[in-house]
mmCIF file of all heavy atoms in Angstrom:
data_model
loop_
_atom_site.group_PDB
_atom_site.id
_atom_site.type_symbol
_atom_site.label_atom_id
_atom_site.label_comp_id
_atom_site.label_asym_id
_atom_site.label_seq_id
_atom_site.Cartn_x
_atom_site.Cartn_y
_atom_site.Cartn_z
ATOM 1 N N LEU N 1327 -33.921 -54.251 -68.143
ATOM 2 C CA LEU N 1327 -33.251 -55.508 -68.316
ATOM 3 C C LEU N 1327 -34.160 -56.441 -69.173
ATOM 4 O O LEU N 1327 -35.405 -56.413 -68.949
ATOM 5 C CB LEU N 1327 -32.963 -56.182 -66.992
ATOM 6 C CG LEU N 1327 -32.119 -55.334 -66.034
ATOM 7 C CD1 LEU N 1327 -31.856 -56.086 -64.736
ATOM 8 C CD2 LEU N 1327 -30.805 -54.950 -66.683
ATOM 9 N N GLY N 1328 -33.577 -57.211 -70.068
ATOM 10 C CA GLY N 1328 -34.352 -58.106 -70.870
ATOM 11 C C GLY N 1328 -34.611 -59.450 -70.186
ATOM 12 O O GLY N 1328 -34.037 -59.769 -69.129
ATOM 13 N N ALA N 1329 -35.516 -60.160 -70.750
ATOM 14 C CA ALA N 1329 -35.820 -61.528 -70.240
ATOM 15 C C ALA N 1329 -35.243 -62.551 -71.132
ATOM 16 O O ALA N 1329 -35.336 -62.462 -72.371
ATOM 17 C CB ALA N 1329 -37.351 -61.688 -70.115
ATOM 18 N N GLY N 1330 -34.622 -63.604 -70.574
ATOM 19 C CA GLY N 1330 -34.033 -64.654 -71.364
ATOM 20 C C GLY N 1330 -32.863 -64.164 -72.273
ATOM 21 O O GLY N 1330 -31.946 -63.494 -71.751
ATOM 22 N N ASP N 1331 -33.023 -64.337 -73.594
ATOM 23 C CA ASP N 1331 -31.985 -63.907 -74.510
ATOM 24 C C ASP N 1331 -32.165 -62.456 -74.919
ATOM 25 O O ASP N 1331 -31.326 -61.948 -75.738
ATOM 26 C CB ASP N 1331 -31.969 -64.808 -75.768
ATOM 27 C CG ASP N 1331 -31.602 -66.229 -75.381
ATOM 28 O OD1 ASP N 1331 -30.905 -66.442 -74.382
ATOM 29 O OD2 ASP N 1331 -32.016 -67.188 -76.168
ATOM 30 N N THR N 1332 -33.206 -61.840 -74.471
ATOM 31 C CA THR N 1332 -33.440 -60.416 -74.841
ATOM 32 C C THR N 1332 -32.403 -59.515 -74.170
ATOM 33 O O THR N 1332 -32.254 -59.561 -72.965
ATOM 34 C CB THR N 1332 -34.851 -59.985 -74.459
ATOM 35 O OG1 THR N 1332 -35.809 -60.894 -75.077
ATOM 36 C CG2 THR N 1332 -35.139 -58.553 -74.945
ATOM 37 N N PRO N 1333 -31.692 -58.695 -74.915
ATOM 38 C CA PRO N 1333 -30.697 -57.847 -74.339
ATOM 39 C C PRO N 1333 -31.265 -56.703 -73.572
ATOM 40 O O PRO N 1333 -32.419 -56.304 -73.759
ATOM 41 C CB PRO N 1333 -29.886 -57.335 -75.472
ATOM 42 C CG PRO N 1333 -30.818 -57.336 -76.657
ATOM 43 C CD PRO N 1333 -31.718 -58.533 -76.419
ATOM 44 N N ALA N 1334 -30.471 -56.196 -72.581
ATOM 45 C CA ALA N 1334 -30.918 -54.977 -71.874
ATOM 46 C C ALA N 1334 -30.971 -53.769 -72.783
ATOM 47 O O ALA N 1334 -30.245 -53.714 -73.788
ATOM 48 C CB ALA N 1334 -29.963 -54.725 -70.697
ATOM 49 N N GLU N 1335 -31.896 -52.914 -72.480
ATOM 50 C CA GLU N 1335 -32.100 -51.710 -73.332
ATOM 51 C C GLU N 1335 -31.838 -50.492 -72.530
ATOM 52 O O GLU N 1335 -32.422 -50.249 -71.407
ATOM 53 C CB GLU N 1335 -33.554 -51.684 -73.894
ATOM 54 C CG GLU N 1335 -33.842 -50.497 -74.724
ATOM 55 C CD GLU N 1335 -35.337 -50.410 -75.100
ATOM 56 O OE1 GLU N 1335 -36.119 -51.313 -74.660
ATOM 57 O OE2 GLU N 1335 -35.714 -49.470 -75.802
ATOM 58 N N LEU N 1336 -31.046 -49.575 -73.096
ATOM 59 C CA LEU N 1336 -30.788 -48.261 -72.448
ATOM 60 C C LEU N 1336 -31.925 -47.344 -72.899
ATOM 61 O O LEU N 1336 -31.996 -46.951 -74.131
ATOM 62 C CB LEU N 1336 -29.456 -47.739 -72.932
ATOM 63 C CG LEU N 1336 -29.063 -46.297 -72.399
ATOM 64 C CD1 LEU N 1336 -28.967 -46.284 -70.888
ATOM 65 C CD2 LEU N 1336 -27.782 -45.868 -73.030
ATOM 66 N N VAL N 1337 -32.779 -46.986 -71.998
ATOM 67 C CA VAL N 1337 -33.907 -46.126 -72.330
ATOM 68 C C VAL N 1337 -33.721 -44.643 -72.010
ATOM 69 O O VAL N 1337 -34.444 -43.824 -72.507
ATOM 70 C CB VAL N 1337 -35.189 -46.596 -71.590
ATOM 71 C CG1 VAL N 1337 -35.518 -48.038 -72.030
ATOM 72 C CG2 VAL N 1337 -35.063 -46.535 -70.087
ATOM 73 N N ALA N 1338 -32.730 -44.331 -71.137
ATOM 74 C CA ALA N 1338 -32.435 -42.927 -70.832
ATOM 75 C C ALA N 1338 -30.960 -42.770 -70.448
ATOM 76 O O ALA N 1338 -30.431 -43.606 -69.722
ATOM 77 C CB ALA N 1338 -33.349 -42.475 -69.671
ATOM 78 N N ARG N 1339 -30.359 -41.728 -70.964
ATOM 79 C CA ARG N 1339 -28.925 -41.545 -70.725
ATOM 80 C C ARG N 1339 -28.689 -40.260 -69.980
ATOM 81 O O ARG N 1339 -29.286 -39.199 -70.363
ATOM 82 C CB ARG N 1339 -28.174 -41.507 -72.061
ATOM 83 C CG ARG N 1339 -26.660 -41.381 -71.933
ATOM 84 C CD ARG N 1339 -26.054 -41.197 -73.281
ATOM 85 N NE ARG N 1339 -26.315 -42.341 -74.216
ATOM 86 C CZ ARG N 1339 -25.573 -43.448 -74.273
ATOM 87 N NH1 ARG N 1339 -24.524 -43.559 -73.449
ATOM 88 N NH2 ARG N 1339 -25.910 -44.426 -75.110
ATOM 89 N N SER N 1340 -27.833 -40.279 -68.938
ATOM 90 C CA SER N 1340 -27.373 -39.076 -68.132
ATOM 91 C C SER N 1340 -28.606 -38.266 -67.730
ATOM 92 O O SER N 1340 -28.808 -37.124 -68.150
ATOM 93 C CB SER N 1340 -26.430 -38.300 -69.003
ATOM 94 O OG SER N 1340 -25.241 -38.975 -69.163
ATOM 95 N N ARG N 1341 -29.531 -38.866 -66.880
ATOM 96 C CA ARG N 1341 -30.671 -38.148 -66.390
ATOM 97 C C ARG N 1341 -30.427 -37.749 -64.982
ATOM 98 O O ARG N 1341 -29.788 -38.468 -64.256
ATOM 99 C CB ARG N 1341 -31.892 -39.049 -66.525
ATOM 100 C CG ARG N 1341 -32.271 -39.287 -67.935
ATOM 101 C CD ARG N 1341 -32.478 -38.041 -68.691
ATOM 102 N NE ARG N 1341 -32.927 -38.210 -70.119
ATOM 103 C CZ ARG N 1341 -32.808 -37.300 -71.037
ATOM 104 N NH1 ARG N 1341 -32.222 -36.108 -70.744
ATOM 105 N NH2 ARG N 1341 -33.310 -37.501 -72.222
ATOM 106 N N PRO N 1342 -30.962 -36.591 -64.529
ATOM 107 C CA PRO N 1342 -30.720 -36.082 -63.167
ATOM 108 C C PRO N 1342 -31.505 -36.821 -62.114
ATOM 109 O O PRO N 1342 -32.693 -37.200 -62.380
ATOM 110 C CB PRO N 1342 -31.124 -34.624 -63.300
ATOM 111 C CG PRO N 1342 -32.232 -34.629 -64.317
ATOM 112 C CD PRO N 1342 -31.810 -35.654 -65.306
ATOM 113 N N VAL N 1343 -30.861 -37.052 -60.979
ATOM 114 C CA VAL N 1343 -31.600 -37.636 -59.835
ATOM 115 C C VAL N 1343 -32.016 -36.422 -58.944
ATOM 116 O O VAL N 1343 -31.210 -35.668 -58.432
ATOM 117 C CB VAL N 1343 -30.613 -38.533 -59.027
ATOM 118 C CG1 VAL N 1343 -31.337 -39.094 -57.792
ATOM 119 C CG2 VAL N 1343 -30.073 -39.623 -59.917
ATOM 120 N N LEU N 1344 -33.308 -36.282 -58.777
ATOM 121 C CA LEU N 1344 -33.892 -35.120 -58.107
ATOM 122 C C LEU N 1344 -33.947 -35.398 -56.590
ATOM 123 O O LEU N 1344 -33.815 -34.453 -55.797
ATOM 124 C CB LEU N 1344 -35.275 -34.814 -58.644
ATOM 125 C CG LEU N 1344 -35.411 -34.640 -60.147
ATOM 126 C CD1 LEU N 1344 -36.821 -34.452 -60.556
ATOM 127 C CD2 LEU N 1344 -34.506 -33.526 -60.646
ATOM 128 N N GLU N 1345 -34.256 -36.559 -56.216
ATOM 129 C CA GLU N 1345 -34.516 -36.902 -54.801
ATOM 130 C C GLU N 1345 -34.325 -38.392 -54.589
ATOM 131 O O GLU N 1345 -34.551 -39.175 -55.510
ATOM 132 C CB GLU N 1345 -35.925 -36.465 -54.471
ATOM 133 C CG GLU N 1345 -36.297 -36.789 -53.028
ATOM 134 C CD GLU N 1345 -37.764 -36.411 -52.767
ATOM 135 O OE1 GLU N 1345 -38.370 -35.756 -53.596
ATOM 136 O OE2 GLU N 1345 -38.373 -36.776 -51.717
ATOM 137 N N VAL N 1346 -33.819 -38.775 -53.356
ATOM 138 C CA VAL N 1346 -33.710 -40.133 -52.973
ATOM 139 C C VAL N 1346 -34.331 -40.305 -51.635
ATOM 140 O O VAL N 1346 -33.962 -39.603 -50.720
ATOM 141 C CB VAL N 1346 -32.256 -40.628 -53.033
ATOM 142 C CG1 VAL N 1346 -32.110 -42.085 -52.500
ATOM 143 C CG2 VAL N 1346 -31.619 -40.486 -54.386
ATOM 144 N N ARG N 1347 -35.237 -41.287 -51.557
ATOM 145 C CA ARG N 1347 -35.842 -41.561 -50.257
ATOM 146 C C ARG N 1347 -35.722 -43.066 -49.975
ATOM 147 O O ARG N 1347 -35.845 -43.895 -50.907
ATOM 148 C CB ARG N 1347 -37.303 -41.183 -50.196
ATOM 149 C CG ARG N 1347 -37.493 -39.666 -50.255
ATOM 150 C CD ARG N 1347 -38.957 -39.273 -50.028
ATOM 151 N NE ARG N 1347 -39.207 -37.865 -50.053
ATOM 152 C CZ ARG N 1347 -40.350 -37.268 -49.894
ATOM 153 N NH1 ARG N 1347 -41.452 -38.025 -49.534
ATOM 154 N NH2 ARG N 1347 -40.510 -35.988 -49.910
ATOM 155 N N GLY N 1348 -35.537 -43.400 -48.712
ATOM 156 C CA GLY N 1348 -35.429 -44.795 -48.301
ATOM 157 C C GLY N 1348 -36.228 -45.131 -47.048
ATOM 158 O O GLY N 1348 -36.377 -44.265 -46.230
ATOM 159 N N ASP N 1349 -36.789 -46.324 -47.015
ATOM 160 C CA ASP N 1349 -37.464 -46.810 -45.846
ATOM 161 C C ASP N 1349 -37.224 -48.276 -45.688
ATOM 162 O O ASP N 1349 -36.313 -48.843 -46.350
ATOM 163 C CB ASP N 1349 -38.936 -46.478 -45.799
ATOM 164 C CG ASP N 1349 -39.619 -46.977 -47.156
ATOM 165 O OD1 ASP N 1349 -39.078 -47.973 -47.684
ATOM 166 O OD2 ASP N 1349 -40.581 -46.340 -47.531
ATOM 167 N N THR N 1350 -38.027 -48.996 -44.876
ATOM 168 C CA THR N 1350 -37.837 -50.401 -44.638
ATOM 169 C C THR N 1350 -38.132 -51.290 -45.879
ATOM 170 O O THR N 1350 -37.618 -52.368 -46.008
ATOM 171 C CB THR N 1350 -38.722 -50.876 -43.472
ATOM 172 O OG1 THR N 1350 -40.093 -50.536 -43.809
ATOM 173 C CG2 THR N 1350 -38.268 -50.219 -42.191
ATOM 174 N N THR N 1351 -38.833 -50.682 -46.842
ATOM 175 C CA THR N 1351 -39.199 -51.398 -48.064
ATOM 176 C C THR N 1351 -38.194 -51.236 -49.178
ATOM 177 O O THR N 1351 -38.239 -51.971 -50.163
ATOM 178 C CB THR N 1351 -40.640 -51.006 -48.507
ATOM 179 O OG1 THR N 1351 -40.607 -49.588 -48.857
ATOM 180 C CG2 THR N 1351 -41.687 -51.241 -47.411
ATOM 181 N N GLY N 1352 -37.360 -50.282 -49.054
ATOM 182 C CA GLY N 1352 -36.368 -50.087 -50.065
ATOM 183 C C GLY N 1352 -36.049 -48.634 -50.329
ATOM 184 O O GLY N 1352 -36.486 -47.761 -49.591
ATOM 185 N N THR N 1353 -35.262 -48.349 -51.359
ATOM 186 C CA THR N 1353 -34.883 -46.966 -51.697
ATOM 187 C C THR N 1353 -35.462 -46.649 -53.080
ATOM 188 O O THR N 1353 -35.402 -47.427 -53.998
ATOM 189 C CB THR N 1353 -33.321 -46.891 -51.773
ATOM 190 O OG1 THR N 1353 -32.793 -47.229 -50.485
ATOM 191 C CG2 THR N 1353 -32.921 -45.471 -52.119
ATOM 192 N N THR N 1354 -35.960 -45.448 -53.153
ATOM 193 C CA THR N 1354 -36.587 -44.974 -54.442
ATOM 194 C C THR N 1354 -35.924 -43.624 -54.798
ATOM 195 O O THR N 1354 -35.786 -42.689 -53.982
ATOM 196 C CB THR N 1354 -38.059 -44.776 -54.298
ATOM 197 O OG1 THR N 1354 -38.665 -45.968 -53.963
ATOM 198 C CG2 THR N 1354 -38.646 -44.255 -55.639
ATOM 199 N N ALA N 1355 -35.491 -43.538 -56.122
ATOM 200 C CA ALA N 1355 -34.893 -42.337 -56.605
ATOM 201 C C ALA N 1355 -35.919 -41.674 -57.592
ATOM 202 O O ALA N 1355 -36.514 -42.325 -58.402
ATOM 203 C CB ALA N 1355 -33.607 -42.617 -57.354
ATOM 204 N N LEU N 1356 -36.035 -40.344 -57.414
ATOM 205 C CA LEU N 1356 -36.913 -39.615 -58.386
ATOM 206 C C LEU N 1356 -35.976 -39.111 -59.508
ATOM 207 O O LEU N 1356 -35.062 -38.272 -59.236
ATOM 208 C CB LEU N 1356 -37.563 -38.425 -57.555
ATOM 209 C CG LEU N 1356 -38.767 -37.768 -58.254
ATOM 210 C CD1 LEU N 1356 -39.897 -38.793 -58.407
ATOM 211 C CD2 LEU N 1356 -39.231 -36.621 -57.471
ATOM 212 N N VAL N 1357 -36.221 -39.632 -60.713
ATOM 213 C CA VAL N 1357 -35.299 -39.375 -61.872
ATOM 214 C C VAL N 1357 -36.065 -38.530 -62.876
ATOM 215 O O VAL N 1357 -37.254 -38.794 -63.173
ATOM 216 C CB VAL N 1357 -34.851 -40.692 -62.447
ATOM 217 C CG1 VAL N 1357 -33.911 -40.427 -63.663
ATOM 218 C CG2 VAL N 1357 -34.146 -41.521 -61.382
ATOM 219 N N GLY N 1358 -35.432 -37.582 -63.464
ATOM 220 C CA GLY N 1358 -36.023 -36.749 -64.548
ATOM 221 C C GLY N 1358 -35.798 -37.384 -65.891
ATOM 222 O O GLY N 1358 -34.647 -37.594 -66.367
ATOM 223 N N LEU N 1359 -36.956 -37.842 -66.470
ATOM 224 C CA LEU N 1359 -36.870 -38.504 -67.788
ATOM 225 C C LEU N 1359 -37.612 -37.715 -68.818
ATOM 226 O O LEU N 1359 -38.587 -36.965 -68.522
ATOM 227 C CB LEU N 1359 -37.587 -39.934 -67.685
ATOM 228 C CG LEU N 1359 -37.002 -40.920 -66.659
ATOM 229 C CD1 LEU N 1359 -37.829 -42.247 -66.722
ATOM 230 C CD2 LEU N 1359 -35.551 -41.215 -66.989
ATOM 231 N N ALA N 1360 -37.116 -37.855 -70.089
ATOM 232 C CA ALA N 1360 -37.825 -37.192 -71.140
ATOM 233 C C ALA N 1360 -39.211 -37.778 -71.366
ATOM 234 O O ALA N 1360 -39.401 -38.962 -70.989
ATOM 235 C CB ALA N 1360 -36.983 -37.294 -72.432
ATOM 236 N N ALA N 1361 -40.085 -37.076 -71.919
ATOM 237 C CA ALA N 1361 -41.519 -37.550 -72.113
ATOM 238 C C ALA N 1361 -41.518 -38.900 -72.840
ATOM 239 O O ALA N 1361 -42.319 -39.786 -72.516
ATOM 240 C CB ALA N 1361 -42.317 -36.543 -72.796
ATOM 241 N N ASP N 1362 -40.712 -39.050 -73.854
ATOM 242 C CA ASP N 1362 -40.769 -40.293 -74.680
ATOM 243 C C ASP N 1362 -39.990 -41.455 -73.961
ATOM 244 O O ASP N 1362 -40.054 -42.549 -74.497
ATOM 245 C CB ASP N 1362 -40.188 -40.051 -76.047
ATOM 246 C CG ASP N 1362 -38.702 -39.587 -76.026
ATOM 247 O OD1 ASP N 1362 -38.270 -39.144 -74.916
ATOM 248 O OD2 ASP N 1362 -38.077 -39.540 -77.146
ATOM 249 N N GLU N 1363 -39.348 -41.157 -72.850
ATOM 250 C CA GLU N 1363 -38.637 -42.225 -72.141
ATOM 251 C C GLU N 1363 -39.514 -42.763 -70.995
ATOM 252 O O GLU N 1363 -39.160 -43.844 -70.389
ATOM 253 C CB GLU N 1363 -37.328 -41.657 -71.526
ATOM 254 C CG GLU N 1363 -36.330 -41.187 -72.588
ATOM 255 C CD GLU N 1363 -35.215 -40.419 -72.028
ATOM 256 O OE1 GLU N 1363 -35.309 -40.005 -70.846
ATOM 257 O OE2 GLU N 1363 -34.198 -40.170 -72.742
ATOM 258 N N VAL N 1364 -40.570 -42.069 -70.627
ATOM 259 C CA VAL N 1364 -41.439 -42.516 -69.516
ATOM 260 C C VAL N 1364 -42.118 -43.821 -69.826
ATOM 261 O O VAL N 1364 -42.173 -44.741 -68.987
ATOM 262 C CB VAL N 1364 -42.467 -41.448 -69.194
ATOM 263 C CG1 VAL N 1364 -43.378 -41.913 -68.125
ATOM 264 C CG2 VAL N 1364 -41.756 -40.131 -68.756
ATOM 265 N N GLY N 1365 -42.583 -44.007 -71.065
ATOM 266 C CA GLY N 1365 -43.301 -45.225 -71.437
ATOM 267 C C GLY N 1365 -42.395 -46.461 -71.275
ATOM 268 O O GLY N 1365 -42.806 -47.412 -70.535
ATOM 269 N N PRO N 1366 -41.247 -46.537 -71.997
ATOM 270 C CA PRO N 1366 -40.351 -47.686 -71.829
ATOM 271 C C PRO N 1366 -39.961 -47.916 -70.336
ATOM 272 O O PRO N 1366 -39.816 -49.124 -69.928
ATOM 273 C CB PRO N 1366 -39.208 -47.368 -72.694
ATOM 274 C CG PRO N 1366 -39.660 -46.385 -73.657
ATOM 275 C CD PRO N 1366 -40.727 -45.551 -72.997
ATOM 276 N N ALA N 1367 -39.682 -46.845 -69.572
ATOM 277 C CA ALA N 1367 -39.257 -47.000 -68.237
ATOM 278 C C ALA N 1367 -40.376 -47.573 -67.364
ATOM 279 O O ALA N 1367 -40.170 -48.429 -66.540
ATOM 280 C CB ALA N 1367 -38.834 -45.667 -67.641
ATOM 281 N N THR N 1368 -41.592 -47.097 -67.541
ATOM 282 C CA THR N 1368 -42.687 -47.621 -66.688
ATOM 283 C C THR N 1368 -43.023 -49.061 -67.078
ATOM 284 O O THR N 1368 -43.457 -49.854 -66.237
ATOM 285 C CB THR N 1368 -43.930 -46.747 -66.906
ATOM 286 O OG1 THR N 1368 -44.239 -46.619 -68.283
ATOM 287 C CG2 THR N 1368 -43.767 -45.366 -66.301
ATOM 288 N N THR N 1369 -42.814 -49.437 -68.396
ATOM 289 C CA THR N 1369 -43.051 -50.829 -68.732
ATOM 290 C C THR N 1369 -42.031 -51.713 -68.033
ATOM 291 O O THR N 1369 -42.349 -52.800 -67.478
ATOM 292 C CB THR N 1369 -42.866 -50.962 -70.239
ATOM 293 O OG1 THR N 1369 -43.823 -50.182 -70.926
ATOM 294 C CG2 THR N 1369 -43.018 -52.436 -70.704
ATOM 295 N N GLY N 1370 -40.750 -51.276 -68.008
ATOM 296 C CA GLY N 1370 -39.750 -52.054 -67.231
ATOM 297 C C GLY N 1370 -40.033 -52.075 -65.723
ATOM 298 O O GLY N 1370 -39.834 -53.086 -65.063
ATOM 299 N N LEU N 1371 -40.571 -50.965 -65.193
ATOM 300 C CA LEU N 1371 -40.931 -50.874 -63.752
ATOM 301 C C LEU N 1371 -42.027 -51.866 -63.445
ATOM 302 O O LEU N 1371 -42.063 -52.506 -62.393
ATOM 303 C CB LEU N 1371 -41.333 -49.456 -63.416
ATOM 304 C CG LEU N 1371 -40.249 -48.420 -63.341
ATOM 305 C CD1 LEU N 1371 -40.833 -47.055 -63.136
ATOM 306 C CD2 LEU N 1371 -39.250 -48.749 -62.169
#
Side-chain angles (χ1 to χ4, degrees):
L1327 304 180
D1331 295 335
T1332 304
E1335 178 186 2
L1336 177 63
V1337 299
R1339 182 188 300 274
S1340 294
R1341 292 308 184 196
V1343 180
L1344 308 176
E1345 178 183 350
V1346 176
R1347 292 189 180 183
D1349 53 28
T1350 56
T1351 62
T1353 301
T1354 300
L1356 198 61
V1357 182
L1359 299 180
D1362 59 349
E1363 298 167 348
V1364 175
T1368 54
T1369 299
L1371 288 172

